[in-house]
Amino acid sequence: MSVRRRLTTATGAVLLTLAVAGCSSLDRTMVGTLSYETEREVVVTVTSPSVKGCHRLVAPSGVTRVENETLVDIRLYPTRDCKGKHNIYLPSSTSNEIAPGALPWRSYNVIH
């Protein structure tokens, strides 16, 4: 292989690496952890989830307690699709627990 061809290949590899690294920064994350507890007292911890879209809380019967140890604020919903007027605002570095008789949370999204 000629020197010029090797140099071209190496330059292409570097440019491809830079392009991939640049694109990955477009998928921003909630830096930190989001922990939640199910009605059966099982704790689930998610590390740095995406800031985009609606996220379902992985618990068939819903979630009773959420601890937001991320750098962003979230909104919790009792529905699976982040819709409805019965939601709660949870600032970063705080936690919240549902009131007795209240519906459990099933989804959340990030406040932008």
Side-chain angles (χ1 to χ4, degrees):
M1 190 185 276
S2 71
V3 173
R4 182 175 181 174
R5 183 178 243 176
R6 283 187 210 160
L7 185 58
T8 303
T9 303
T11 303
V14 169
L15 291 174
L16 181 60
T17 303
L18 291 173
V20 169
C23 290
S24 65
S25 68
L26 295 176
D27 188 28
R28 296 180 314 158
T29 62
M30 300 167 52
V31 176
T33 59
L34 184 73
S35 298
Y36 50 91
E37 188 175 315
T38 68
E39 289 180 335
R40 295 190 173 142
E41 298 182 359
V42 174
V43 176
V44 177
T45 301
V46 181
T47 303
S48 298
S50 173
V51 298
K52 295 180 183 175
C54 179
H55 301 274
R56 285 190 182 176
L57 295 166
V58 185
S61 58
V63 171
T64 58
R65 184 179 196 298
V66 176
E67 206 170 304
N68 182 7
E69 293 300 326
T70 69
L71 299 178
V72 296
D73 302 343
I74 64 172
R75 188 168 298 278
L76 296 161
Y77 296 87
T79 61
R80 294 176 192 229
D81 58 0
C82 297
K83 294 183 181 173
K85 61 182 176 180
H86 300 290
N87 58 66
I88 187 168
Y89 177 81
L90 187 62
S92 66
S93 301
T94 62
S95 63
N96 204 317
E97 196 166 332
I98 63 168
L103 292 172
W105 297 303
R106 297 184 184 274
S107 63
Y108 71 92
N109 62 11
V110 175
I111 307 294
H112 289 282

